[in-house]
Amino acid sequence: MYLISSQEMLKKAQREQYAVPAFNIHNLETIQVVVDTAKELGSPVILAATPATYNYAGTPYLISICKKAAEIHHFPFALHLDHHENLSDIESKIEAGIRSIMIDASHYPFEENIDIVREMVVFSHKYNASVEAELGRLGGQEDDLIVDDKQSAFTDPDAAKEYVERTGIDSLAVAIGSAHGLYKGEPKLDFQRLAKIRDKVDIPLVLHGASGIPEEMVKKSISLGICKVNVATELKIAFSDALKQNFKEHPDANDPRHYMQPAKAAMKKIVEEKIRICGSAGKL
């Protein structure tokens, strides 16, 4: 088994009107939870990792663990580069075997964003790697990526059409009101904007910052063209809260084979819930 591009799974999701969940992973335990649960529910899945995660775990380790997980389960899935910016770093990871990337040049002016992304698309497609890019900027924090409210910007539908045509990307991450990290208040998504983007863009659309967005909002986003839903913060909170609670109840615990189990079980519940919301169960 092998690690695959996300392109075909997202196109299938687009045709059948569901979304593929993309779960951020960090280590062996989180990879096990996501892959085991997705296989159990028959859901396509994307395992996403930011540059900070690759630095923490080591790219060769993550690739090897994911390849072995695919082999064990006879279950190909995508290991994804989430919010990567450095071109040489992306290229080296593609050459190492990763076939799904998200290049983030959203903080550059429009023309420069296009030039950077187009260059990455040309390189990536030589390896049959799919490319996701972002137009507009999400606020909030994800690992080392911090965007304050003043820097955030919604995706312009007309600009999105031009952007997709000129870059040749395979999927587009849109900024419609979602944010990375925890929401300070009730999330407000601009569904009218999303519908206009869908009308002008025919490639799969991606919703970042889905942690904490109510179920009905996620489902409406999917009905309006979202084909990939990113989840990170809720997974980390569930995992860490269960781990902390276990240590509180068992202060002398010292065996990770035991104290990791409640954390994995808590994270599994979130993965199951998001697969259900995305409507991806049984879509393999």
Side-chain angles (χ1 to χ4, degrees):
M1 283 293 168
Y2 48 91
L3 304 178
I4 62 172
S5 159
S6 60
Q7 184 175 11
E8 290 307 316
M9 67 170 76
L10 293 185
K11 285 183 176 180
K12 183 175 184 291
Q14 186 175 30
R15 289 193 302 270
E16 300 181 17
Q17 294 188 310
Y18 62 90
V20 177
F23 298 112
N24 278 70
I25 49 84
H26 302 90
N27 55 12
L28 170 65
E29 287 78 16
T30 52
I31 291 171
Q32 287 175 324
V33 170
V34 172
V35 177
D36 292 357
T37 307
K39 176 62 176 181
E40 178 184 320
L41 297 179
S43 173
V45 72
I46 295 169
L47 274 64
T50 62
T53 295
Y54 282 100
N55 290 338
Y56 164 74
T59 298
Y61 281 112
L62 287 181
I63 291 175
S64 296
I65 293 169
C66 287
K67 282 184 175 180
K68 180 55 66 174
E71 178 185 334
I72 290 170
H73 288 296
H74 302 285
F75 174 37
F77 55 84
L79 176 60
H80 183 69
L81 305 184
D82 189 26
H83 284 285
H84 277 58
E85 300 179 12
N86 185 288
L87 297 186
S88 61
D89 177 47
I90 295 172
E91 290 174 357
S92 67
K93 287 171 179 171
I94 290 173
E95 290 170 344
I98 294 173
R99 293 293 177 264
S100 179
I101 75 166
M102 186 267 177
I103 178 168
D104 189 353
S106 61
H107 50 291
Y108 289 101
F110 185 67
E111 289 295 331
E112 192 171 354
N113 184 342
I114 287 176
D115 290 341
I116 292 170
V117 172
R118 183 169 52 208
E119 178 183 345
M120 197 69 257
V121 167
V122 171
F123 180 88
S124 301
H125 284 180
K126 292 178 182 177
Y127 291 82
N128 294 317
S130 57
V131 181
E132 171 191 332
E134 183 174 79
L135 186 63
R137 299 203 77 193
L138 271 68
Q141 178 173 355
E142 182 171 16
D143 287 347
D144 296 333
L145 175 68
I146 302 174
V147 179
D148 62 30
D149 291 339
K150 294 180 180 178
Q151 294 174 309
S152 63
F154 281 20
T155 303
D156 177 82
D158 291 318
K161 182 178 186 296
E162 180 182 355
Y163 186 76
V164 169
E165 291 173 349
R166 292 177 60 188
T167 58
I169 55 174
D170 302 295
S171 58
L172 175 67
V174 295
I176 58 169
S178 58
H180 294 126
L182 294 175
Y183 289 89
K184 298 175 183 177
E186 179 75 12
K188 295 180 180 179
L189 301 186
D190 190 339
F191 294 115
Q192 185 176 7
R193 181 181 299 271
L194 177 57
K196 290 180 180 178
I197 296 170
R198 173 75 291 159
D199 186 56
K200 293 178 178 292
V201 173
D202 61 2
I203 63 172
L205 302 179
V206 178
L207 181 68
H208 283 219
S211 290
I213 295 179
E215 177 177 340
E216 62 273 14
M217 287 189 179
V218 176
K219 287 183 173 179
K220 185 170 183 178
S221 298
I222 294 170
S223 74
L224 292 172
I226 291 296
C227 304
K228 172 174 174 273
V229 174
N230 287 20
V231 181
T233 302
E234 281 188 73
L235 301 176
K236 292 189 289 188
I237 290 174
F239 190 97
S240 60
D241 281 356
L243 189 63
K244 288 181 281 190
Q245 182 62 33
N246 187 66
F247 276 124
K248 183 178 179 180
E249 295 173 358
H250 307 280
D252 295 328
N254 60 20
D255 190 336
R257 295 170 299 178
H258 297 156
Y259 63 67
M260 283 290 189
Q261 296 307 318
K264 292 174 69 176
M267 181 177 169
K268 178 181 174 66
K269 290 181 180 179
I270 303 297
V271 173
E272 290 174 336
E273 177 189 6
K274 299 305 179 182
I275 287 175
R276 177 184 61 78
I277 291 172
C278 285
S280 60
K283 297 295 186 179
L284 280 178

